[in-house]
Every structure is written in structure tokens, then in C-alpha cells.
């Protein structure tokens, strides 16, 4: 009976949406249309193959060559490796642990239910080995005390951004004016010794800086 159940599980197709969600949870991006295109290409071309072999071919066709799917029974599975794909009663789910007592199973239609671990004792599991270089983890300030303090101080005083922008504009205007002043001195004052022009330029720069 157990062999028949395993054979039934091996014949169940892993929906593309579940694979996309698992990859997203593991920090690997893949375009939904590209994944569906791979599924359409392989559908019917790989009859009577194990789910792990199906996923290997899917990742190969999708140019995700560094990902290695591993298939084993739930009893041998290290739950610290969740999320993973789980086949129970001929249906595939995305399994995640959201608390210490239950496992959350999500179907391809995004409906989720919580079950105790004992519910999955005879389930089949596929988890993915993902190289660290393929994971695109977003930047986060969570747990970063120094970054949190800096972020808090930045917004302690309302309107600071406007002051920074105004100061930036003024500093750049002075920098432009200084460059023009230097060019005029070299081009007009030094060759002709036009001290009246120099006096005018200096007075203008004093006004700008003031």
C-alpha cells in the first residue's frame, strides 16, 4: 500500500505557481511567463518521471543551473530547511513553518491551512539547494541597531530635507560663481591689469558669499 501511495505521489504534477512561490521565498527571481513557457514545453515530453527529475529539467530549461532539488520522505527531512514542496494525498503544497507547533500548507490556489507535524509523516518532500550567489535578499534595517538609530535621528526634526536641499543649491551656486570669478580674473584682469574690473568682480563675489 505504501509503494502504491509513493507511486501515486510521483505521478502528481507540481504546479508552476508553487514552484514560483518557493523560489521567491528562497530569494530567487524567475519570470512567471518564462516559467509557464517552460512548463508548456515540457508538458507531455517527460512522462513517468519523478517530481525531482521534473524540477531538474524545469530549472535546466529556465537557465537556473545552480539550483538542485532534493527528494526525500518527511520523516527524514530536516524541517529547518523549510520552506519546501510537500506532496500529501496526491496533492502538492508549499510547506512553511510559521510557529513552533504547526506547518502551514499552501495550495496552488493560494489557500492555506495549518496542520500538526504528525499529519505529514507519510508525505513526500522536495527542497531546493540554492547557491548563495543566486539569492537576491532585499536590504533591510530589521535587527540593525546602528542603522535604526541613524534612521531615527534623520527624521527627528521635521523639514530637515528642505534645509538640506536649500543649502545644497546655495553651495553649488557659490561654487559656480567662484569658477566664473577665477576665469574672469585670468582672462580679463591679469593680461590687461584692469584693476577696476577686478574691484567689481571682488565686490560681486563678496555679495554672493554674504
Amino acid at each position: 500500500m505504501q509503494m502504491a501511495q509513493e507511486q501515486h505521489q510521483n505521478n502528481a504534477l507540481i504546479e508552476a505557481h508553487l514552484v514560483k512561490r518557493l523560489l521567491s521565498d528562497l530569494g530567487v527571481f524567475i519570470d512567471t511567463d518564462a516559467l509557464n513557457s517552460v512548463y508548456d514545453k515540457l508538458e507531455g515530453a517527460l512522462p513517468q518521471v519523478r517530481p525531482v527529475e521534473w524540477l531538474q529539467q524545469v530549472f535546466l530549461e529556465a537557465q537556473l543551473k545552480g539550483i538542485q532539488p532534493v527528494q526525500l520522505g518527511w520523516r527524514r527531512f530536516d524541517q529547518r530547511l523549510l520552506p519546501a514542496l510537500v506532496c500529501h494525498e496526491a496533492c502538492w503544497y508549499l510547506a512553511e513553518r510559521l510557529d513552533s507547533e504547526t506547518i502551514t500548507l499552501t495550495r496552488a490556489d493560494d489557500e492555506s491551512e495549518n496542520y500538526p507535524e504528525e499529519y505529514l509523516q507519510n508525505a513526500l518532500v522536495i527542497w531546493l539547494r540554492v547557491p548563495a550567489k543566486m539569492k537576491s535578499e532585499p536590504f533591510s534595517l530589521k535587527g540593525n541597531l546602528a542603522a535604526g538609530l541613524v534612521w531615527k535621528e534623520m527624521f527627528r526634526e521635521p523639514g530637515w530635507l528642505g534645509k538640506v536641499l536649500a543649502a545644497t543649491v546655495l553651495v553649488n551656486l557659490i561654487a559656480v560663481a567662484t569658477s566664473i570669478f577665477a576665469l574672469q580674473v585670468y582672462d580679463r584682469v591679469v593680461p590687461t591689469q584692469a584693476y577696476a574690473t577686478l574691484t567689481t568682480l571682488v565686490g560681486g563675489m563678496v555679495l554672493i558669499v554674504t
Side-chain angles (χ1 to χ4, degrees), residues 8-9 12 22 40 43 47 56 79 81 90 110 112 124 150 154:
H8 198 31
Q9 291 174 337
L22 176 59
D40 292 339
E43 187 175 3
Q56 287 174 345
Q79 297 179 24
L81 299 175
D110 289 331
S112 301
L124 184 69
V150 172
M154 285 177 62

Side-chain angles (χ1 to χ4, degrees), residues 103-154:
I103 303 295
T104 300
L105 298 183
T106 304
R107 298 194 299 267
D109 58 3
D110 289 331
E111 292 291 332
S112 301
E113 294 185 27
N114 296 328
Y115 296 95
E117 296 179 16
E118 295 77 12
Y119 181 79
L120 301 173
Q121 290 304 305
N122 297 322
L124 184 69
V125 181
I126 292 182
W127 66 279
L128 305 180
R129 287 196 183 104
V130 179
K133 62 181 181 180
M134 295 188 65
K135 298 182 179 180
S136 54
E137 298 180 358
F139 175 75
S140 175
L141 295 178
K142 185 177 180 181
N144 190 328
L145 181 59
L149 291 174
V150 172
W151 193 257
K152 180 180 179 180
E153 290 298 323
M154 285 177 62

Side-chain angles (χ1 to χ4, degrees), residues 58-86:
V58 168
F59 295 148
L60 182 62
E61 292 288 340
Q63 303 298 317
L64 299 176
K65 299 179 181 179
I67 301 178
Q68 180 181 357
V70 180
Q71 178 176 313
L72 69 167
W74 178 266
R75 297 180 183 179
R76 297 174 51 202
F77 176 62
D78 185 353
Q79 297 179 24
R80 292 174 297 180
L81 299 175
L82 290 173
L85 298 172
V86 172

Side-chain angles (χ1 to χ4, degrees), residues 157-205:
E157 180 183 354
W160 67 271
L161 184 58
K163 298 177 182 178
V164 170
L165 291 175
T168 303
V169 171
L170 290 176
V171 168
N172 281 278
L173 287 177
I174 293 175
V176 172
T178 302
S179 300
I180 295 175
F181 171 78
L183 289 173
Q184 293 299 316
V185 169
Y186 281 113
D187 291 342
R188 299 178 182 277
V189 175
V190 173
T192 62
Q193 296 184 354
Y195 297 109
T197 302
L198 177 62
T199 303
T200 303
L201 291 173
V202 171
M205 283 300 304

